[in-house]
Amino acid sequence: MLSSLPMIADPWFYAAALPAVLIVGLSKGGFGPGSALIALPLISLLLPPLQAAAIMLPVLCAMDLAGLWGFRGKWDRRCLPTILAGGLLGVGVGTLTARWVDNQAIQLIVGAVAVLFPLQRWFGRIDDTPAPHSLPKGLFWSACSGFTSFIAHAGNPPLMVYMVPLRLDKTIFMGTTVIFFAVINYVKLVPYWWLGQFTPDNLGTSLLLIPIAIAGVYLGLWLHHKLSDRFFYQSVNAIIFLCGLKLLADGFGLQLW
């Protein structure tokens, strides 16, 4: 059945895409949250960035359904409405400005946020008391997340700037972010279709990658429940930092890894 679908035939593409999609699945399942940022740069080594993003979007949507089931009923009722409002605003801005946005500039901005935030957590004077919910901060950082998610599937670092200091229970944290990105990704389907990115080859390739992605989500869900809250947040900061270095390197045209 799959062999009859149009899809990318380059074996080097799958050598990069299969591990990338598995890592995204693990991240969506709550193991190594934030590591999904490495997927698009890996696939973009072999395809134009916008085509790579279009292939990844249906895969992300399928993973979101698995994540929603895995974290059903686990979300923060005060935080979610705020970040959803901001995220949708960011997607709208991204849709209207996509033709004029410089991808390298976005990589540099998001990369800088992703590097500086963990550094501040590690070396700054941080009070471990959970930060209070803030409507202005929540709207601002989630709008940045929606915008960078639309442009480059790189919405995680801006959202983490708001979410991590809240110090939510790790399962509530993951459930809240899973719902946020599920809504954002499904809304993004419309402008991506409008931009003409859902070609038969792209969709056929997405369909081939989806089973690997869903397997990764459920493996991530299993591993998530083996982690302590302390290790979970330490891993979030470390992965965001490494992904920030990667985004900065891409923005400067360097080959970091």
Side-chain angles (χ1 to χ4, degrees):
M1 176 69 176
L2 284 175
S3 61
S4 65
L5 293 171
M7 62 183 67
I8 294 170
D10 183 0
W12 290 110
F13 165 78
Y14 294 101
L18 291 175
V21 166
L22 182 62
I23 290 169
V24 178
L26 289 168
S27 176
K28 288 279 188 180
F31 183 74
S35 56
L37 274 174
I38 72 171
L40 194 60
L42 272 176
I43 298 175
S44 296
L45 294 174
L46 297 158
L47 293 177
L50 190 56
Q51 184 184 6
I55 289 171
M56 280 302 300
L57 184 54
V59 179
L60 291 171
C61 288
M63 285 189 283
D64 287 331
L65 291 178
L68 288 170
W69 175 254
F71 290 101
R72 60 193 182 280
K74 308 292 185 182
W75 49 282
D76 188 90
R77 287 161 176 77
R78 291 186 62 195
C79 177
L80 188 60
T82 299
I83 62 175
L84 280 178
L88 293 173
L89 175 63
V91 171
V93 173
T95 301
L96 295 174
T97 60
R99 296 178 183 178
W100 300 282
V101 169
D102 185 334
N103 280 341
Q104 284 188 313
I106 293 297
Q107 289 171 330
L108 291 172
I109 293 169
V110 178
V113 170
V115 166
L116 292 174
F117 175 68
L119 288 176
Q120 193 263 344
R121 302 295 298 178
W122 291 332
F123 300 111
R125 297 182 62 184
I126 298 297
D127 183 357
D128 285 334
T129 303
H133 291 276
S134 168
L135 181 62
K137 290 180 180 178
L139 287 174
F140 174 77
W141 287 112
S142 59
C144 293
S145 175
F147 177 75
T148 56
S149 177
F150 179 84
I151 297 299
H153 296 330
N156 214 24
L159 188 65
M160 294 305 101
V161 175
Y162 178 64
M163 293 288 294
V164 169
L166 298 178
R167 303 296 296 180
L168 302 173
D169 170 82
K170 70 178 190 296
T171 301
I172 298 297
F173 176 98
M174 280 305 305
T176 304
T177 58
V178 163
I179 294 174
F180 173 81
F181 284 112
V183 172
I184 295 301
N185 286 333
Y186 274 90
V187 168
K188 282 156 55 178
L189 289 170
V190 176
Y192 268 68
W193 171 81
W194 179 61
L195 292 169
Q197 290 302 308
F198 291 138
T199 65
D201 281 357
N202 287 351
L203 289 174
T205 303
S206 299
L207 186 61
L208 182 65
L209 296 173
I210 283 173
I212 303 296
I214 293 177
V217 173
Y218 284 107
L219 178 58
L221 283 166
W222 181 77
L223 292 170
H224 169 82
H225 294 292
K226 306 295 182 182
L227 301 178
S228 69
D229 281 14
R230 180 177 178 83
F231 182 79
F232 174 84
Y233 278 103
Q234 288 174 340
S235 69
V236 169
N237 286 325
I239 292 169
I240 291 294
F241 179 77
L242 291 173
C243 291
L245 291 179
K246 173 61 177 171
L247 287 167
L248 286 175
D250 291 342
F252 285 116
L254 305 174
Q255 291 297 321
L256 188 60
W257 61 72

